[in-house]
């Protein structure tokens, strides 16, 4: 798929993350990456190697085993990274579900 802008890519990205568990795995991956980045600054540069491992590892796990789709980062790495950050900030502020509804995506119900 060819996208001409971030605004055009964003709805596709959201559709690829329709399962709340997928979004949670991404959220945890970003948190783990931030912690690894801080450790690389405060403790040892060795932790820097963990930043992409955590970020992509958690996200790709969720795509292959939870959402069962191909990560958008394979075809659009820069826009996917920017969308990851946008989704993270929306989740952090509690606005991701509202954004999904705005785009017409209904979140999947999770078993209790």
């Amino acid at each position: 798929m060819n996208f001409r802008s971030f605004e055009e890519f964003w709805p596709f990205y959201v559709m690829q993350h329709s399962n709340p568990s997928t979004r949670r795995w991404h959220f945890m991956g970003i948190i783990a990456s931030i912690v690894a980045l801080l450790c690389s600054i405060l403790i040892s540069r060795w932790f820097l190697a963990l930043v992409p491992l955590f970020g992509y590892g958690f996200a790709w796990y969720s795509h292959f085993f939870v959402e069962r789709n191909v990560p958008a980062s394979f075809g659009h790495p820069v826009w996917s990274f920017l969308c990851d950050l946008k989704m993270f900030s929306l989740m952090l502020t509690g606005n991701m579900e509202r954004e999904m509804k705005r785009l017409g995506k209904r979140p999947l119900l999770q078993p209790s």
Side-chain angles (χ1 to χ4, degrees):
M1 295 182 132
N2 290 325
F3 299 97
R4 294 175 294 201
S5 67
F6 178 82
E7 291 74 24
E8 205 175 272
F9 183 72
W10 174 244
F12 168 77
Y13 177 88
V14 170
M15 182 181 69
Q16 296 296 102
H17 299 81
S18 62
N19 188 317
S21 293
T22 301
R23 296 191 301 275
R24 283 188 219 111
W25 277 104
H26 278 66
F27 190 88
M28 291 186 299
I30 291 174
I31 293 291
S33 292
I34 290 169
V35 169
L37 183 61
L38 291 173
C39 287
S40 74
I41 294 167
L42 300 172
I43 299 170
S44 169
R45 283 189 242 170
W46 178 87
F47 285 97
L48 200 56
L50 296 176
V51 173
L53 182 68
F54 286 152
Y56 286 114
F58 281 68
W60 289 354
Y61 170 84
S62 72
H63 283 288
F64 292 127
F65 300 106
V66 177
E67 195 83 43
R68 299 197 186 278
N69 62 17
V70 177
S73 60
F74 286 8
H76 306 282
V78 174
W79 281 344
S80 293
F81 176 72
L82 295 173
C83 286
D84 280 343
L85 297 178
K86 180 175 180 172
M87 183 171 70
F88 178 77
S89 68
L90 288 170
M91 291 176 72
L92 202 57
T93 59
N95 292 313
M96 188 61 201
E97 297 303 322
R98 183 181 308 142
E99 179 67 4
M100 292 192 71
K101 288 177 185 169
R102 183 186 76 79
L103 294 171
K105 311 294 182 256
R106 298 288 180 243
L108 297 174
L109 296 176
Q110 293 296 301
S112 305

